[in-house]
Amino acid sequence: MPTNGEDDFLHRFFNDFISLVGNKFASMREAGNGLHGWRRSFDLGVSGAKIGIGGQHNTMLLSLNGHSCAFIASDVWPLLATLLEDHYRAKITRWDGAVDDYEGLHSVDWAVDQYLHNQFNSGGNRPKANVNGNWVESDGSGRTFYVGRRKNGKLIRIYEKGMQLGDPLSPWVRWELELHNKSRIIPWDVL
């Protein structure tokens, strides 16, 4: 999002944004430090959302974590996408999505089996795989299976979330996909 007259732009964007997303985002406090390479950063209400501005070719960052996304009504997302894409000419540079499998039907072991059967291939290329945790003898702290590489812009991590949170018998598995706009355009449909 190009910025001309940084503070004027920031306030105009903030007002447009708040008119869509609501009161949980309704105050803007300067955080006193930059954010991911942007010179100034701001916290938006109690939402957990952040704005970074200044630097990086005169651009702005809007960062919405899972907590802040939960405050945005489902019917608002298409309007927000239109505002960002059409009015501010924004692009999505990173998108993270997660699916929780509370019953463990698609376990870490199942994901490894899918990988071994070439179910993670993209364009004929087998992505790199990596693991974390005790894979030799389960200690109840959980394991993580990674497919892809962040530096290539596409990474999925499958991990034993319930165990990570302290329940050594939990079947809860989380699948997290991290996409970066390296060699791809992340479509607004992800919102």
Side-chain angles (χ1 to χ4, degrees), residues 69-79 191:
C69 288
F71 290 128
I72 300 175
S74 59
D75 61 334
V76 171
W77 285 106
L79 302 171
L191 299 183

PDB file of all heavy atoms in Angstrom, residues 69-79 191:
ATOM      1  N   CYS A  69      -8.431 -12.042  13.722  1.00  0.00           N
ATOM      2  CA  CYS A  69      -9.345 -12.531  12.685  1.00  0.00           C
ATOM      3  C   CYS A  69     -10.673 -12.985  13.281  1.00  0.00           C
ATOM      4  O   CYS A  69     -11.719 -12.843  12.658  1.00  0.00           O
ATOM      5  CB  CYS A  69      -8.702 -13.674  11.906  1.00  0.00           C
ATOM      6  SG  CYS A  69      -7.375 -13.147  10.805  1.00  0.00           S
ATOM      7  N   ALA A  70     -10.626 -13.528  14.492  1.00  0.00           N
ATOM      8  CA  ALA A  70     -11.848 -14.008  15.149  1.00  0.00           C
ATOM      9  C   ALA A  70     -12.825 -12.870  15.446  1.00  0.00           C
ATOM     10  O   ALA A  70     -14.025 -13.112  15.604  1.00  0.00           O
ATOM     11  CB  ALA A  70     -11.493 -14.743  16.445  1.00  0.00           C
ATOM     12  N   PHE A  71     -12.344 -11.632  15.511  1.00  0.00           N
ATOM     13  CA  PHE A  71     -13.207 -10.483  15.777  1.00  0.00           C
ATOM     14  C   PHE A  71     -13.891  -9.945  14.522  1.00  0.00           C
ATOM     15  O   PHE A  71     -14.716  -9.042  14.607  1.00  0.00           O
ATOM     16  CB  PHE A  71     -12.411  -9.341  16.412  1.00  0.00           C
ATOM     17  CG  PHE A  71     -11.975  -9.610  17.825  1.00  0.00           C
ATOM     18  CD1 PHE A  71     -10.654  -9.445  18.187  1.00  0.00           C
ATOM     19  CD2 PHE A  71     -12.879 -10.015  18.796  1.00  0.00           C
ATOM     20  CE1 PHE A  71     -10.233  -9.679  19.489  1.00  0.00           C
ATOM     21  CE2 PHE A  71     -12.477 -10.253  20.097  1.00  0.00           C
ATOM     22  CZ  PHE A  71     -11.151 -10.085  20.445  1.00  0.00           C
ATOM     23  N   ILE A  72     -13.526 -10.466  13.361  1.00  0.00           N
ATOM     24  CA  ILE A  72     -14.082  -9.962  12.106  1.00  0.00           C
ATOM     25  C   ILE A  72     -15.204 -10.890  11.658  1.00  0.00           C
ATOM     26  O   ILE A  72     -15.000 -12.088  11.483  1.00  0.00           O
ATOM     27  CB  ILE A  72     -12.985  -9.842  11.022  1.00  0.00           C
ATOM     28  CG1 ILE A  72     -11.893  -8.870  11.503  1.00  0.00           C
ATOM     29  CG2 ILE A  72     -13.583  -9.375   9.703  1.00  0.00           C
ATOM     30  CD1 ILE A  72     -10.695  -8.765  10.583  1.00  0.00           C
ATOM     31  N   ALA A  73     -16.388 -10.330  11.485  1.00  0.00           N
ATOM     32  CA  ALA A  73     -17.563 -11.119  11.096  1.00  0.00           C
ATOM     33  C   ALA A  73     -17.358 -11.712   9.704  1.00  0.00           C
ATOM     34  O   ALA A  73     -16.726 -11.094   8.834  1.00  0.00           O
ATOM     35  CB  ALA A  73     -18.813 -10.239  11.116  1.00  0.00           C
ATOM     36  N   SER A  74     -17.907 -12.892   9.490  1.00  0.00           N
ATOM     37  CA  SER A  74     -17.698 -13.598   8.223  1.00  0.00           C
ATOM     38  C   SER A  74     -18.197 -12.798   7.017  1.00  0.00           C
ATOM     39  O   SER A  74     -17.587 -12.859   5.946  1.00  0.00           O
ATOM     40  CB  SER A  74     -18.358 -14.972   8.254  1.00  0.00           C
ATOM     41  OG  SER A  74     -19.740 -14.851   8.483  1.00  0.00           O
ATOM     42  N   ASP A  75     -19.266 -12.026   7.176  1.00  0.00           N
ATOM     43  CA  ASP A  75     -19.771 -11.253   6.044  1.00  0.00           C
ATOM     44  C   ASP A  75     -18.942  -9.998   5.767  1.00  0.00           C
ATOM     45  O   ASP A  75     -19.128  -9.339   4.739  1.00  0.00           O
ATOM     46  CB  ASP A  75     -21.246 -10.893   6.250  1.00  0.00           C
ATOM     47  CG  ASP A  75     -21.496 -10.042   7.489  1.00  0.00           C
ATOM     48  OD1 ASP A  75     -20.698 -10.102   8.445  1.00  0.00           O
ATOM     49  OD2 ASP A  75     -22.508  -9.310   7.506  1.00  0.00           O
ATOM     50  N   VAL A  76     -18.004  -9.678   6.657  1.00  0.00           N
ATOM     51  CA  VAL A  76     -17.151  -8.500   6.473  1.00  0.00           C
ATOM     52  C   VAL A  76     -15.912  -8.822   5.622  1.00  0.00           C
ATOM     53  O   VAL A  76     -15.382  -7.948   4.939  1.00  0.00           O
ATOM     54  CB  VAL A  76     -16.738  -7.916   7.840  1.00  0.00           C
ATOM     55  CG1 VAL A  76     -15.677  -6.840   7.714  1.00  0.00           C
ATOM     56  CG2 VAL A  76     -17.971  -7.363   8.556  1.00  0.00           C
ATOM     57  N   TRP A  77     -15.478 -10.078   5.635  1.00  0.00           N
ATOM     58  CA  TRP A  77     -14.246 -10.434   4.916  1.00  0.00           C
ATOM     59  C   TRP A  77     -14.269 -10.047   3.430  1.00  0.00           C
ATOM     60  O   TRP A  77     -13.283  -9.473   2.943  1.00  0.00           O
ATOM     61  CB  TRP A  77     -13.934 -11.920   5.096  1.00  0.00           C
ATOM     62  CG  TRP A  77     -13.385 -12.225   6.451  1.00  0.00           C
ATOM     63  CD1 TRP A  77     -14.029 -12.843   7.475  1.00  0.00           C
ATOM     64  CD2 TRP A  77     -12.082 -11.890   6.952  1.00  0.00           C
ATOM     65  NE1 TRP A  77     -13.214 -12.924   8.582  1.00  0.00           N
ATOM     66  CE2 TRP A  77     -12.010 -12.343   8.273  1.00  0.00           C
ATOM     67  CE3 TRP A  77     -10.976 -11.247   6.404  1.00  0.00           C
ATOM     68  CZ2 TRP A  77     -10.876 -12.190   9.064  1.00  0.00           C
ATOM     69  CZ3 TRP A  77      -9.845 -11.092   7.185  1.00  0.00           C
ATOM     70  CH2 TRP A  77      -9.798 -11.559   8.496  1.00  0.00           C
ATOM     71  N   PRO A  78     -15.345 -10.317   2.684  1.00  0.00           N
ATOM     72  CA  PRO A  78     -15.335  -9.891   1.276  1.00  0.00           C
ATOM     73  C   PRO A  78     -15.223  -8.369   1.124  1.00  0.00           C
ATOM     74  O   PRO A  78     -14.556  -7.878   0.209  1.00  0.00           O
ATOM     75  CB  PRO A  78     -16.677 -10.402   0.728  1.00  0.00           C
ATOM     76  CG  PRO A  78     -17.100 -11.473   1.668  1.00  0.00           C
ATOM     77  CD  PRO A  78     -16.542 -11.107   3.010  1.00  0.00           C
ATOM     78  N   LEU A  79     -15.872  -7.632   2.022  1.00  0.00           N
ATOM     79  CA  LEU A  79     -15.785  -6.165   1.968  1.00  0.00           C
ATOM     80  C   LEU A  79     -14.372  -5.689   2.281  1.00  0.00           C
ATOM     81  O   LEU A  79     -13.853  -4.760   1.662  1.00  0.00           O
ATOM     82  CB  LEU A  79     -16.783  -5.546   2.949  1.00  0.00           C
ATOM     83  CG  LEU A  79     -18.253  -5.911   2.753  1.00  0.00           C
ATOM     84  CD1 LEU A  79     -19.096  -5.414   3.916  1.00  0.00           C
ATOM     85  CD2 LEU A  79     -18.748  -5.372   1.428  1.00  0.00           C
ATOM     86  N   LEU A 191      -9.098 -14.994   2.263  1.00  0.00           N
ATOM     87  CA  LEU A 191      -9.813 -14.328   3.345  1.00  0.00           C
ATOM     88  C   LEU A 191     -11.222 -14.866   3.475  1.00  0.00           C
ATOM     89  O   LEU A 191     -11.828 -14.824   4.505  1.00  0.00           O
ATOM     90  CB  LEU A 191      -9.856 -12.819   3.128  1.00  0.00           C
ATOM     91  CG  LEU A 191      -8.515 -12.093   3.067  1.00  0.00           C
ATOM     92  CD1 LEU A 191      -8.740 -10.600   2.930  1.00  0.00           C
ATOM     93  CD2 LEU A 191      -7.683 -12.379   4.287  1.00  0.00           C
TER      94      LEU A 191
END
